[in-house]
Amino acid sequence: MTLAQLRAFLAAYELGSFTAAARKLETSQASVSELISRLEHELKHSLFTRGGRRLIPTTAAVELHVHALQSVNSFNNGVEALKSMSSLEGGVCTFGVLRYGAHYDLADLVQRFHRRYPQVKVRLVGLNSVTVAESVASGEIEAGLIVLPVAEAGLQVRPLFRDEVFFVSATRDPSRGPMTIEELAGSKLVLYDAFAGWHDPTRRQILERARLKGLKIEAAIEVEHVDTALGLVATGAAGAFVPQAIVSGPGFPRNIHAVPFAEPLYDTIALIQREGSYLSPATRKMAQMAARTLLSKVAPGQAIGRTTLH
């Protein structure tokens, strides 16, 4: 049974004539007759009898009519929903962003997207990169922006650019030069993203460097938000490490000094989606807007990969 057969049946049922049905469907009378004949053969029931000039539906046709109508309408509604999504006149966008996305000029991303596509429902999740990656891999959200490295099983990863990470302190004299991993291990630290802890991608890089030299890195204070950590750094309570986007931001405390690591350390910002999946038009557009916003903030040589997701 095909949609073409059901459409021919419904047109003949409504109009009482194969000829009229053919005109409505913009096909030939013979084609309509053949479609209904094949449908009758599959169903093993006669659907029409001739009464003068008009087709008379049989009991089987009356029984079939409501179900055929529901099937064709359901398919048509599905097609319209997809068209609406394709034209961004509807649909749902689910996207994950960096917890400190505001420092990458992403604070108004959802507002800009909504102004352009007001009919699209938006679910924008701002979490640590580890949680965003897990949410994309599980299918809870379609795509997201993360810092690498994360467990990449089940993910397609599109690196965008690298952002250098700096040690920041209000008490360490910057004339002492770059921060070594040995000095970091002996420093009092305040670290953010407390919930993610040492699963956080930047922390993981630091931890691996320390392990290779037989050192331990420990936090004296852990908080959830980077701005809270910077507030503590500004009081001289401890030092921290943050990416260039935060150091160069307008809200960075003036009394905090930033120095690079002796072995340069970078956050790699990437777009991710589930492996083998295709993004909805709305989420694809959100990903494109987010990537353009990020790349407009970096120096020309920092971009390292494609920005396109499928």
Side-chain angles (χ1 to χ4, degrees):
M1 187 181 300
T2 67
L3 280 168
Q5 290 172 337
L6 292 179
R7 288 193 173 108
F9 164 72
L10 290 172
Y13 188 99
E14 175 190 351
L15 300 170
S17 161
F18 289 165
T19 302
R23 283 197 299 267
K24 179 178 181 179
L25 298 174
E26 298 182 340
T27 187
S28 67
Q29 185 271 339
S31 178
V32 171
S33 179
E34 174 64 19
L35 286 168
I36 292 176
S37 177
R38 292 209 312 262
L39 181 60
E40 289 177 323
H41 179 75
E42 291 179 30
L43 296 174
K44 296 181 172 57
H45 282 282
S46 177
L47 296 174
F48 297 102
T49 59
R50 291 195 176 275
R53 292 187 172 184
R54 187 173 180 86
L55 295 174
I56 305 299
T58 64
T59 302
V62 173
E63 183 67 25
L64 176 64
H65 178 259
V66 63
H67 301 291
L69 194 60
Q70 287 175 350
S71 296
V72 172
N73 284 342
S74 179
F75 178 80
N76 290 340
N77 290 340
V79 170
E80 288 304 312
L82 291 176
K83 286 181 179 177
S84 177
M85 288 176 65
S86 297
S87 61
L88 293 183
E89 294 175 357
V92 179
C93 166
T94 58
F95 194 72
V97 295
L98 309 165
R99 181 188 293 280
Y100 46 85
H103 293 278
Y104 288 101
D105 294 341
L106 295 175
D108 65 342
L109 178 64
V110 68
Q111 290 95 330
R112 288 188 284 120
F113 183 88
H114 184 66
R115 280 198 301 269
R116 191 174 299 181
Y117 310 109
Q119 303 304 315
V120 177
K121 295 179 182 178
V122 178
R123 182 171 179 242
L124 196 67
V125 179
L127 300 167
N128 183 273
S129 295
V130 174
T131 308
V132 171
E134 290 172 349
S135 297
V136 172
S138 69
E140 184 181 351
I141 58 179
E142 286 191 79
L145 284 168
I146 63 165
V147 174
L148 298 177
V150 297
E152 296 183 15
L155 296 175
Q156 290 180 4
V157 180
R158 300 285 184 271
L160 297 177
F161 69 95
R162 297 195 308 170
D163 199 12
E164 188 169 5
V165 177
F166 291 82
F167 178 79
V168 295
S169 171
T171 59
R172 182 186 186 274
D173 188 343
S175 65
R176 292 170 58 183
M179 170 63 66
T180 64
I181 196 68
E182 289 84 0
E183 184 183 351
L184 186 71
S187 301
K188 186 177 182 180
L189 298 174
V190 53
L191 303 181
Y192 53 96
D193 275 333
F195 184 79
W198 289 99
H199 295 291
D200 171 76
T202 310
R203 290 207 210 183
R204 283 177 60 188
Q205 292 189 77
I206 291 284
L207 191 62
E208 183 60 24
R209 289 187 179 189
R211 283 174 175 168
L212 289 173
K213 295 199 174 184
L215 302 171
K216 291 182 65 176
I217 305 292
E218 295 182 334
I221 306 170
E222 290 194 77
V223 295
E224 200 58 45
H225 300 288
V226 65
D227 292 328
T228 305
L230 289 177
L232 288 164
V233 173
T235 68
F241 41 85
V242 296
Q244 175 70 52
I246 293 176
V247 171
S248 61
F252 190 72
R254 293 185 177 182
N255 69 315
I256 295 179
H257 306 292
V259 296
F261 282 86
E263 181 186 346
L265 179 68
Y266 296 93
D267 279 344
T268 300
I269 314 300
L271 276 170
I272 60 169
Q273 70 182 89
R274 193 155 43 128
E275 198 169 53
S277 68
Y278 283 85
L279 300 183
S280 67
T283 300
R284 189 182 307 114
K285 185 61 68 175
M286 176 71 82
Q288 290 169 352
M289 288 179 63
R292 281 197 298 268
T293 299
L294 286 172
L295 292 175
S296 69
K297 188 177 177 66
V298 304
Q302 285 183 272
I304 59 175
R306 295 183 297 150
T307 63
T308 303
L309 291 176
H310 297 302

